[in-house]
Amino acid sequence: MYLSRFLSIHALWVTVSSVMQPYPLVWGHYDLCKTQIYTEEGKVWDYMACQPESTDMTKYLKVKLDPPDITCGDPPETFCAMGNPYMCNNECDASTPELAHPPELMFDFEGRHPSTFWQSATWKEYPKPLQVNITLSWSKTIELTDNIVITFESGRPDQMILEKSLDYGRTWQPYQYYATDCLDAFHMDPKSVKDLSQHTVLEIICTEEYSTGYTTNSKIIHFEIKDRFAFFAGPRLRNMASLYGQLDTTKKLRDFFTVTDLRIRLLRPAVGEIFVDELHLARYFYAISDIKVRGRCKCNLHATVCVYDNSKLTCECEHNTTGPDCGKCKKNYQGRPWSPGSYLPIPKGTANTCIPSISSIGKCYCNPLGSIHDRCNGSGFCECKTGTTGPKCDECLPGNSWHYGCQPNVCDNELLHCQNGGTCHNNVRCLCPAAYTGILCEKLRCEEAGSCGSDSGQGAPPHGSPALLLLTTLLGSASPLVF
Ligand SMILES: *[C@@H]1O[C@H](CO)[C@@H](O)[C@H](O)[C@H]1NC(C)=O
Ligand SMILES: *[C@@H]1O[C@H](CO)[C@@H](O)[C@H](O)[C@H]1NC(C)=O
Ligand SMILES: *[C@@H]1O[C@H](CO)[C@@H](O)[C@H](O)[C@H]1NC(C)=O
């Protein structure tokens, strides 16, 4: 497991160093979570906001197609050539590697000749719509850092929606609509990203820029991340500090660039003419040779390393945070509420580390008999009942003894002596000689019973009379025999 983890990290870094370049310096400010500095107290750690590098995220996704059997070639079928829609003797055959077009080919190396691509079945069931969902899932929140680019091998679709999920595919929302005619397809006015501004940057638009079917040489569709960044960072993204300032303070903006899943909904293939040519339905299908998604693991600015292990991306959290996105404080580090690191102040940001919980300084469990509450109060102390003391409220103040909690002493050997030869039992009662009673054995028993003989004399111990002894034994409520 350790080896594979190491290899994954290694692979990630190799990728980063070989492909990284769109804005190397500006993003690079957040590549360290901590550094050692010298202060009057000696060497100490200084903590900073940090994030993983931007990388090719298509290596870490799972792809799912709906309908599941929409890929061409099972059974084999013929389709028309890309360039010439009337040359219809090409073959797709899933069981022959050279003629198969499985979904993986959207993510393999681009630039091969001839190019490799995924292809759908043809529109043979026209007029039933030919619709395909391509769902890309990361099982992890990621932040997009560059345009999503989809390269079609045949014409670009007449109608398409890019959707995103922020909750692992439970709910979906549109990201952008694409159509040759936005009004007709989606009842939306056509717009381009250039029509937006800082204030409308989160608007979901329909664009006609990328849907011109067969009639153009361009095969590419963009979802423009960089143009949207540029509303804050300026052209060529020179002022990233300004973008970071916005991201720090506007959760909606952060969330806009964050996804767990993307879905490409292909709604109508390229037709290129007003009418569908029903005699040549093998002209109509979808084919995609490449999908580019660049981004980084979302670690809330608490990690620089994101590990791919067991087909799962996980942030290696610093600053005593934890969770797949470093989205909470570690146990015993909840001394203040969790918050994400902050990009500002530039250039190192603010780490917002989690600090030890007060209740974890020693372990806080107060003696339930000696304390008012069995947990510490807000400043980390056990609050003791009267007569009780000690950090855990399990010791008694002088004049008190432990008896299901601290109780004031009834008798002791200092101030509250038992009298007339009585002995103090566990500080809670005097064991009196038979003739005496009272809390401290201070009273003659016969006095209490009103039966003292006149000849015995006031205060003299009634020695030697068996009858009297028997009587006191029967009457005595605090008889020595009882103890
Ligand atoms: C594609 O996904 C959408 C929801 O995002 C769903 O409404 C639609 O039915 C799906 N289409 C297919 C062909 O599975
Ligand atoms: C996190 O906790 C460990 C262990 O108690 C400590 O050594 C480290 O300095 C803490 N880090 C931060 C950023 O507070
Ligand atoms: C907690 O208890 C200690 C000791 O009794 C007391 O000094 C302190 O003021 C208490 N703090 C709070 C927040 O109640």
Side-chain angles (χ1 to χ4, degrees):
M1 132 98 194
Y2 237 87
L3 180 66
S4 75
R5 213 172 77 145
F6 171 77
L7 287 175
S8 311
I9 295 175
H10 190 68
L12 204 60
W13 283 99
V14 167
T15 316
V16 163
S17 54
S18 58
V19 190
M20 190 56 205
Q21 273 319 320
Y23 358 82
L25 289 172
V26 279
W27 291 112
H29 284 303
Y30 303 95
D31 55 2
L32 268 184
C33 295
K34 61 183 176 200
T35 173
Q36 278 198 311
I37 55 165
Y38 292 88
T39 67
E40 284 166 6
E41 288 141 43
K43 237 179 177 182
V44 296
W45 285 109
D46 186 27
Y47 297 99
M48 295 159 297
C50 51
Q51 62 186 1
E53 299 238 34
S54 164
T55 187
D56 171 5
M57 293 313 281
T58 60
K59 292 199 182 77
Y60 310 111
L61 59 76
K62 283 198 179 62
V63 60
K64 184 170 167 276
L65 264 59
D66 278 302
D69 59 354
I70 195 66
T71 298
C72 68
D74 185 15
E77 64 177 321
T78 55
F79 60 95
C80 304
M82 307 296 169
N84 181 352
Y86 297 99
M87 201 175 94
C88 298
N89 54 4
N90 289 294
E91 196 181 3
C92 177
D93 179 355
S95 60
T96 310
E98 307 85 72
L99 299 176
H101 295 283
E104 307 82 273
L105 298 181
M106 294 186 277
F107 308 104
D108 65 344
F109 173 73
E110 179 71 354
R112 248 189 267 273
H113 287 286
S115 65
T116 58
F117 51 91
W118 164 79
Q119 183 173 314
S120 76
T122 61
W123 201 0
K124 39 186 186 298
E125 289 177 46
Y126 177 85
K128 194 181 156 223
L130 178 63
Q131 297 191 345
V132 182
N133 284 350
I134 301 172
T135 305
L136 316 180
S137 304
W138 283 272
S139 305
K140 166 83 189 77
T141 50
I142 62 167
E143 293 167 330
L144 301 173
T145 55
D146 204 341
N147 292 1
I148 297 169
V149 185
I150 305 165
T151 307
F152 286 82
E153 182 63 20
S154 61
R156 297 179 293 188
D158 270 355
Q159 292 172 20
M160 173 186 133
I161 311 175
L162 181 67
E163 292 184 332
K164 67 173 234 180
S165 173
L166 252 173
D167 54 11
Y168 309 96
R170 271 190 289 280
T171 61
W172 293 89
Q173 46 205 291
Y175 227 174
Q176 192 144 301
Y177 293 83
Y178 300 84
T180 38
D181 186 337
C182 283
L183 208 55
D184 178 57
F186 301 116
H187 310 291
M188 291 170 82
D189 284 324
K191 274 196 184 167
S192 103
V193 173
K194 305 202 168 50
D195 301 325
L196 300 176
S197 69
Q198 272 198 15
H199 303 289
T200 57
V201 68
L202 304 184
E203 194 184 310
I204 305 303
I205 59 167
C206 178
T207 177
E208 296 178 355
E209 269 179 275
Y210 304 107
S211 311
T212 39
Y214 278 157
T215 60
T216 169
N217 289 327
S218 183
K219 298 173 163 184
I220 293 175
I221 280 185
H222 281 264
F223 179 69
E224 306 88 341
I225 297 285
K226 277 161 65 176
D227 288 342
R228 285 172 169 87
F229 284 169
F231 290 122
F232 303 97
R236 314 191 68 186
L237 309 183
R238 285 189 194 281
N239 186 6
M240 287 302 278
S242 157
L243 171 64
Y244 289 146
Q246 289 295 325
L247 288 171
D248 265 346
T249 50
T250 321
K251 183 175 183 298
K252 269 192 186 163
L253 189 66
R254 283 202 302 274
D255 285 350
F256 184 83
F257 298 110
T258 306
V259 305
T260 57
D261 306 71
L262 288 170
R263 175 172 286 163
I264 299 161
R265 292 182 61 185
L266 303 168
L267 298 176
R268 184 180 159 92
V271 172
E273 292 144 16
I274 301 197
F275 301 104
V276 171
D277 175 0
E278 293 189 49
L279 298 176
H280 297 93
L281 289 173
R283 289 172 60 183
Y284 308 116
F285 53 88
Y286 304 105
I288 295 179
S289 65
D290 192 55
I291 298 178
K292 282 193 175 35
V293 183
R294 281 190 75 82
R296 67 176 95 249
C297 282
K298 180 185 173 79
C299 303
N300 286 297
L301 292 157
H302 288 306
T304 51
V305 177
C306 189
V307 178
Y308 191 61
D309 189 21
N310 276 328
S311 322
K312 247 188 101 192
L313 285 166
T314 314
C315 301
E316 294 239 301
C317 302
E318 303 261 3
H319 305 152
N320 287 312
T321 60
T322 187
D325 310 341
C326 310
K328 55 185 186 181
C329 289
K330 268 189 188 164
K331 197 166 167 253
N332 294 336
Y333 285 89
Q334 287 151 355
R336 65 172 172 215
W338 174 90
S339 64
S342 153
Y343 285 107
L344 302 178
I346 291 284
K348 297 197 304 184
T350 308
N352 290 331
T353 59
C354 291
I355 59 172
S357 317
I358 287 153
S359 60
S360 73
I361 304 167
K363 215 176 162 190
C364 185
Y365 188 73
C366 309
N367 187 299
L369 294 171
S371 64
I372 297 167
H373 313 286
D374 54 10
R375 308 225 97 223
C376 290
N377 72 10
S379 37
F381 292 96
C382 297
E383 289 189 275
C384 301
K385 289 180 184 164
T386 316
T388 312
T389 188
K392 297 191 169 196
C393 302
D394 54 1
E395 295 163 34
C396 294
L397 289 168
N400 294 271
S401 311
W402 191 264
H403 192 78
Y404 300 105
C406 293
Q407 311 293 344
N409 289 345
V410 173
C411 58
D412 55 35
N413 296 322
E414 288 151 38
L415 296 168
L416 299 163
H417 288 282
C418 301
Q419 297 166 27
N420 297 313
T423 55
C424 184
H425 178 80
N426 288 349
N427 300 96
V428 292
R429 55 172 60 174
C430 290
L431 305 184
C432 299
Y436 289 91
T437 186
I439 289 167
L440 294 172
C441 315
E442 75 281 7
K443 262 189 235 165
L444 263 173
R445 227 173 252 285
C446 62
E447 240 176 80
E448 198 165 68
S451 63
C452 296
S454 54
D455 56 342
S456 329
Q458 278 280 324
H463 284 310
S465 161
L468 195 62
L469 260 179
L470 179 64
L471 183 67
T472 56
T473 305
L474 292 171
L475 291 172
S477 58
S479 160
L481 294 174
V482 175
F483 291 102

